[in-house]
């Protein structure tokens, strides 16, 4: 207890320096937390994937579509409970900067059965199914553009040329936090009809099939059966679980994630340097005091507790403050990235694990920074310590 | 009277450990700062170098990337007959209708599939893009399922090495050559005879037409004529600009994210510098008093301490840039959001980046050192001597 008072007194001997150090650590810890949040947001699609869903797409790449006729063939494969499909629309709303949100032409009859996590009020779903040019937007997306049910919106097609008009007939909310609430769904039939007139070459094809399996344990076998069914055809398929599909997407931007991880390590390095610097000064100034303490009969143990205690106190205060700053920082970042964010990060929240790791980092830094000064203090001979003018 | 610069040097030298720790912190920040700028610069250089000023590219209206674009043979023929297009040595029109498709290939090492762009090209494509040179093996023979690949593709993807085979479009294609394109985006592609590709995928459409203009000034007349032709829905762009625009989104993303992070922890480094300078002021109270007593004006003391802090920052900045310059040997490969295909590019250092990084370092030193320097210069002589 006495020791703790001494630690507190020592820490407050140079209030300005301690405050600056705490502040520096807080900023760096919040940057670290922010980067972890960004990385976590990247992987949020993985958490949102369901174990009983498979994605079937053209084996060449996502740039190639699959014939609509595959639907019945897939439905007939043992173990398949239900099949839905979608095409990537890639339209431009207002201008290119604002269009970074996923737009899918979906099979209205089955889409919300296969994706129960998109919660759409039943009356809205009924209207959506009946009206050809109806569309459903996610809650976040609707908020971003302040869309309301009944609004008419215009989009310019990039992959499917022309002007497209949709009427918002529903707004879905996500079941969980990780559910993507930035998607835009509309009728595949609406797209296909128009394509038959303007670009018959593109009509009658879908981007990918979403297959619900009866038993998640059989997912691998069913996926294999689907791919076997279309082997050596013009459009061979590649079927994998939704999770594997999402992970494959993420691995495309692996390099960026690696870079972010490196940067977060560098940040920890910077904090370590700042705190080590403070602790090194502290020890240099107080070498003669340590000698006095030793003369009074305090052992090495007390000195170690004293120095490590001070270092940890500063590091933890900074860490705690940093964790608190992370929240507004994450919000600010989300706003700064605004239009690009929706496309890349469907869910952007500070996770509990991030807070724990931030706190852990603060502890590690606190211990590491006090290593050298502690060693100096324990080593110093009383005579040398007293002789020294700090 | 000005305090000799040597005074500041020796002060830093006396507290070697602290100096090193502070400079190290600044160095790390500058390292990340310049790495981010180098990456964005490298990405832009790669894509700007992909196009040439002499060429125009024609795609379907509204297609941001070539693989989204579709042009039928009829449109291709209309475009090829335009008078602005240059005539080659054999009397042929220098216009190449190309097909661009994406395929999935597993990466070497991780086996994760990534998208690679395949470009079906015409004989004129190679004439118009002199930077593309086959450095190993040979070109494909007409009528055979043979491809040539860019060097990063050969090194980065399974089955894309010389003599290996890639399977797509229900055929096996032999890699007969590896090419180099002076760092342009084409290096991240697989090239093949366009007619073969159209047959393999049974897609009776082309993606884009690249045409060499007889003189660069003809661009606007070609653009206005083609874009107003009622038979076509095309967009005409200068090749260089078209490819440069594909890097915008990625480069912006790298910059925003990188600078956001850098700015945040530059504050950390600044605070580090501030702590160091405050401490060195506190430790030298008597010294400062002595100097004031000797007749050095406040201005000089302020200058000396500020100089010390700037020196500290420039040591850190120099170290950071030196570390970052080693990144130039590293090739990065990632999916370009705009084209959705794998693109290889390098960290490229430019004099502008060096200047920006050093300026940033000095700004950190100035901001971190200003308050302590003011405190040093405002000390009262009598009190300074009283302090032990």
């Amino acid at each position: 207890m006495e020791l703790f008072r001494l630690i507190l007194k020592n820490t407050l001997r140079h209030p300005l320096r301690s405050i600056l150090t705490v502040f520096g650590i807080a900023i760096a810890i919040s940057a670290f937390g922010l980067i972890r949040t960004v990385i976590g947001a990247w992987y949020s699609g993985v958490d949102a994937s369901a174990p009983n869903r498979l994605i079937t797409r053209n084996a060449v790449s996502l740039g190639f579509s699959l014939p609509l006729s595959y639907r019945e063939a897939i439905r007939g494969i043992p173990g398949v409970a239900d099949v839905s499909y979608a095409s990537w629309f890639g339209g431009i709303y207002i201008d290119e900067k604002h269009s970074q949100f996923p737009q899918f032409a979906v099979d209205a009859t089955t889409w919300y059965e296969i994706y129960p996590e998109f919660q759409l009020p039943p009356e809205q779903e009924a209207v959506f199914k009946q009206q050809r040019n109806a569309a459903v937007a996610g809650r976040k997306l609707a908020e971003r553009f302040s869309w309301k049910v009944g609004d008419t919106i215009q989009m310019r097609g990039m992959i499917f040329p022309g002007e497209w008009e949709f009427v918002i007939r529903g707004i879905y909310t996500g079941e969980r936090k990780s559910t993507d609430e930035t998607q835009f769904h509309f009728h595949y039939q609406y797209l296909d009809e128009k394509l038959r007139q303007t670009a018959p070459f593109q009509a009658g094809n879908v981007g990918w099939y979403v297959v619900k399996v009866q038993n998640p344990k059989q997912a691998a076998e069913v996926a294999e059966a689907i791919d076997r069914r279309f082997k050596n055809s013009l459009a061979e398929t590649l079927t994998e679980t939704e999770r594997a599909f999402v992970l494959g997407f993420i691995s495309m931007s692996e390099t960026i994630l690696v870079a972010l991880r490196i940067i977060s390590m560098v940040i920890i390095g910077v904090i370590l340097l700042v705190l080590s610097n403070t602790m090194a000064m502290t020890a240099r100034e107080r070498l003669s005091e340590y000698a006095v303490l030793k003369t009074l009969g305090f052992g090495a143990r007390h000195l170690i507790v004293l120095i490590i205690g001070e270092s940890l106190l500063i590091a933890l205060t900074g860490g705690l403050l940093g964790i608190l700053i992370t929240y507004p920082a994450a919000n600010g970042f989300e706003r700064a990235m605004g239009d690009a964010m929706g496309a890349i990060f469907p869910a952007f929240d500070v996770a509990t694990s991030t807070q724990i790791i931030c706190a852990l980092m603060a502890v590690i830094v606190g211990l590491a920074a006090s290593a050298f000064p502690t060693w100096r203090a324990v080593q110093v001979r009383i005579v040398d310590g007293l002789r020294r003018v700090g | 009277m000005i305090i000799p610069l040597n005074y500041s040097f020796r002060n830093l030298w006396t507290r070697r450990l602290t100096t090193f720790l502070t400079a190290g912190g600044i160095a790390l920040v500058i390292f990340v700062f310049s790495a981010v700028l180098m990456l964005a610069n490298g990405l832009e250089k790669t894509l700007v170098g992909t196009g040439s000023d002499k060429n125009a590219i024609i795609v379907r209206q509204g297609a941001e990337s070539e693989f989204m674009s579709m042009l039928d043979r009829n449109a291709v023929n209309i475009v090829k007959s335009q008078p602005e297009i240059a005539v080659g040595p054999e009397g042929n029109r220098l216009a190449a209708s190309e097909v661009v498709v994406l395929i999935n290939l597993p990466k070497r090492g991780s086996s994760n599939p990534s998208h690679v762009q395949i470009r079906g090209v015409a004989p004129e494509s190679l004439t118009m893009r002199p930077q593309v040179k086959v450095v190993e093996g040979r070109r494909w023979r007409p009528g055979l399922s043979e491809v040539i690949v860019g060097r990063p593709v050969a090194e980065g993807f399974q089955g894309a090495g010389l003599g290996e085979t890639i399977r797509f479009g229900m055929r096996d294609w032999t890699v007969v050559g590896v090419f180099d394109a002076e760092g342009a985006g084409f290096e991240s592609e697989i090239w093949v005879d366009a007619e073969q590709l159209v047959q393999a995928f049974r897609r009776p459409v082309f993606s884009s037409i690249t045409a060499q203009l007889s003189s660069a000034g003809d661009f606007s007349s070609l653009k206005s004529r083609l874009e107003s032709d009622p038979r076509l829905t095309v967009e005409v762009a200068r090749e260089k600009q078209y490819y440069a625009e594909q890097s915008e989104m990625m480069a912006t993303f790298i910059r925003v994210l990188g600078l956001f992070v850098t700015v945040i922890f530059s504050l950390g480094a600044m605070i580090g510098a501030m702590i160091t300078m405050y401490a060195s002021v506190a430790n030298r109270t008597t010294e400062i008093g002595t100097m004031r007593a000797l007749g050095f004006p406040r201005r000089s003391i302020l200058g000396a301490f500020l100089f010390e802090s700037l020196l500290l920052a420039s040591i850190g900045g120099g170290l950071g840039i030196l570390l970052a310059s080693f990144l130039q040997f590293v090739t990065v490969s990632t999916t370009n959001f705009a084209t959705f295909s794998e693109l290889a590019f390098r960290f490229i250092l430019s004099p502008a980046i060096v200047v920006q990084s050093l300026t940033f370092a000095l700004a950190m030193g100035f901001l971190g050192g200003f308050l302590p320097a003011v405190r040093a210069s405002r000390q009262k002589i009598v009190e300074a001597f009283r302090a032990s």
Side-chain angles (χ1 to χ4, degrees), chain B residues 116-375:
Chain B
V116 186
Q117 200 156 286
I118 298 190
R119 186 179 292 272
V121 297
E124 290 86 4
S125 301
L126 290 144
T127 322
M128 283 187 292
R129 301 193 177 106
Q131 74 266 46
V132 175
K133 294 183 191 71
V134 176
V135 287
E136 279 174 65
R138 55 176 176 82
R139 280 190 204 174
W140 64 86
R141 293 203 184 94
L144 291 178
S145 302
E146 293 179 342
V147 299
I148 59 172
V149 301
R151 186 188 299 280
V153 177
E155 287 166 2
F157 288 93
Q158 287 175 24
L162 195 61
E164 296 181 288
T165 54
I166 307 170
R167 187 173 172 80
F168 58 86
M170 293 174 76
R171 294 193 204 174
D172 286 307
W173 307 73
T174 314
V175 179
V176 295
V178 175
F179 66 87
D180 226 310
E182 296 167 10
F186 296 127
E187 285 185 3
S188 301
E189 295 177 349
I190 297 174
W191 280 26
V192 55
D193 184 351
E195 293 300 334
Q196 291 289 325
L197 200 60
V198 169
Q199 284 170 34
F201 283 123
R202 294 169 179 74
R203 282 166 72 139
V205 287
F206 289 92
S207 306
S208 65
I209 304 166
T210 304
Q212 191 166 327
L213 302 168
S214 22
S215 73
D218 291 336
F219 174 77
S220 46
S221 66
L222 178 73
K223 182 177 168 80
S224 56
R225 180 148 10 90
L226 285 178
E227 290 184 356
S228 60
D229 191 321
R231 295 166 298 175
L232 306 169
T233 46
V234 295
E235 203 170 296
V236 184
R238 286 186 190 278
E239 195 188 21
K240 197 172 212 141
Q241 251 169 331
Y242 187 80
Y243 288 121
E245 273 169 19
Q246 295 187 342
S247 73
E248 247 170 59
M249 191 169 156
M250 272 296 268
T252 309
F253 175 78
I254 292 174
R255 281 211 183 97
V256 169
L257 192 68
L259 295 182
F260 201 84
V261 169
T262 315
V263 165
I264 287 182
F265 72 90
S266 68
L267 287 171
M270 239 182 294
I271 285 170
M274 219 184 244
I275 293 168
T276 306
M277 292 310 295
Y278 265 125
S280 74
V281 171
N283 287 334
R284 281 186 264 161
T285 315
T286 326
E287 248 170 70
I288 295 167
T290 313
M291 284 193 285
R292 294 275 292 117
L294 288 173
F296 283 109
R298 289 189 175 182
R299 248 200 346 254
S300 314
I301 290 175
L302 181 84
F305 275 88
L306 213 48
F307 177 74
E308 193 173 319
S309 158
L310 288 175
L311 194 65
L312 193 66
S314 56
I315 292 170
L319 208 64
I321 292 169
L322 187 73
L323 282 175
S325 67
F326 287 108
L327 287 174
Q328 295 193 90
F329 301 109
V330 181
T331 300
V332 189
S333 166
T334 186
T335 298
N336 183 353
F337 301 152
T339 58
F340 213 67
S341 60
E342 190 83 10
L343 181 73
F345 52 100
R346 297 202 348 256
F347 288 89
I348 296 177
L349 192 61
S350 69
I353 293 176
V354 173
V355 172
Q356 280 168 358
S357 304
L358 273 180
T359 312
F360 186 56
L362 289 175
M364 279 197 286
F366 183 81
L367 290 172
F370 187 71
L371 290 176
V374 168
R375 177 186 274 198

Side-chain angles (χ1 to χ4, degrees), chain A residues 67-127:
Chain A
L68 195 50
S69 59
Y70 280 19
R71 179 189 188 175
E72 292 312 315
I74 295 173
R75 206 193 282 282
I77 286 168
V80 172
D82 203 357
V83 184
S84 187
Y85 53 84
S87 280
W88 178 262
F89 180 65
I92 286 200
Y93 176 67
I94 305 178
D95 58 26
E96 280 173 32
K97 205 172 139 270
H98 289 88
S99 322
Q100 304 298 341
F101 57 91
Q103 305 136 17
F104 302 135
V106 303
D107 176 33
T109 48
T110 53
W111 188 254
Y112 294 104
E113 270 73 57
I114 286 226
Y115 283 100
E117 64 263 45
F118 296 148
Q119 293 173 325
L120 189 63
E123 65 277 10
Q124 290 186 353
E125 191 176 353
V127 178

Side-chain angles (χ1 to χ4, degrees), chain A residues 79-307:
Chain A
V80 172
D82 203 357
V83 184
S84 187
Y85 53 84
S87 280
W88 178 262
F89 180 65
I92 286 200
Y93 176 67
I94 305 178
D95 58 26
E96 280 173 32
K97 205 172 139 270
H98 289 88
S99 322
Q100 304 298 341
F101 57 91
Q103 305 136 17
F104 302 135
V106 303
D107 176 33
T109 48
T110 53
W111 188 254
Y112 294 104
E113 270 73 57
I114 286 226
Y115 283 100
E117 64 263 45
F118 296 148
Q119 293 173 325
L120 189 63
E123 65 277 10
Q124 290 186 353
E125 191 176 353
V127 178
F128 170 66
K129 279 180 178 170
Q130 282 161 7
Q131 196 182 332
R132 199 40 67 89
N133 65 346
V136 172
R139 186 188 57 85
K140 276 188 187 170
L141 185 70
E143 277 171 16
R144 197 175 123 194
F145 296 117
S146 9
W147 289 338
K148 285 174 205 62
V149 172
D151 286 2
T152 302
I153 60 165
Q154 292 270 357
M155 279 198 204
R156 194 153 47 85
M158 301 275 296
I159 304 169
F160 309 107
E163 291 292 335
W164 301 78
E165 195 172 88
F166 306 102
V167 182
I168 306 275
R169 284 292 172 211
I171 288 169
Y172 75 82
T173 46
E175 186 184 19
R176 289 188 303 272
K177 251 196 155 166
S178 58
T179 307
D180 185 356
E181 292 184 327
T182 64
Q183 294 183 5
F184 181 84
H185 309 135
F186 66 94
H187 281 255
Y188 171 82
Q189 278 73 14
Y190 179 55
L191 175 76
D192 203 50
E193 272 168 17
K194 211 163 165 177
L195 286 181
R196 279 181 204 289
Q197 297 157 12
T198 56
F201 169 74
Q202 285 178 297
N205 285 309
V206 300
W208 64 92
Y209 287 94
V210 186
V211 181
K212 189 170 157 192
V213 291
Q214 283 157 1
N215 180 355
K217 288 197 181 70
Q218 291 179 325
E221 293 156 48
V222 175
E224 221 167 291
I226 294 172
D227 289 347
R228 221 181 11 248
R229 170 76 178 69
F230 304 111
K231 195 96 194 125
N232 289 324
S233 68
L234 257 183
E236 293 188 336
T237 60
L238 173 64
T239 308
E240 47 193 0
T241 59
E242 194 177 20
R243 186 188 165 83
F245 176 77
V246 175
L247 278 172
F249 250 95
I250 294 169
S251 74
M252 288 181 191
S253 38
E254 219 166 12
T255 322
I256 297 174
L257 294 172
V258 169
L260 283 176
R261 289 211 170 89
I262 293 172
I263 291 179
S264 61
M265 283 298 117
V266 171
I267 290 182
I268 297 299
V270 173
I271 322 181
L272 188 59
L273 289 172
V274 171
L275 186 62
S276 303
N277 197 359
T278 300
M279 292 311 293
M281 283 181 199
T282 306
R284 195 172 39 230
E285 286 165 7
R286 303 193 195 149
L287 220 54
S288 54
E289 289 171 35
Y290 297 145
V292 172
L293 283 173
K294 279 184 173 179
T295 316
L296 293 174
F298 284 94
R301 207 164 42 90
H302 295 104
L303 287 181
I304 291 171
V305 171
L306 208 61
I307 298 169

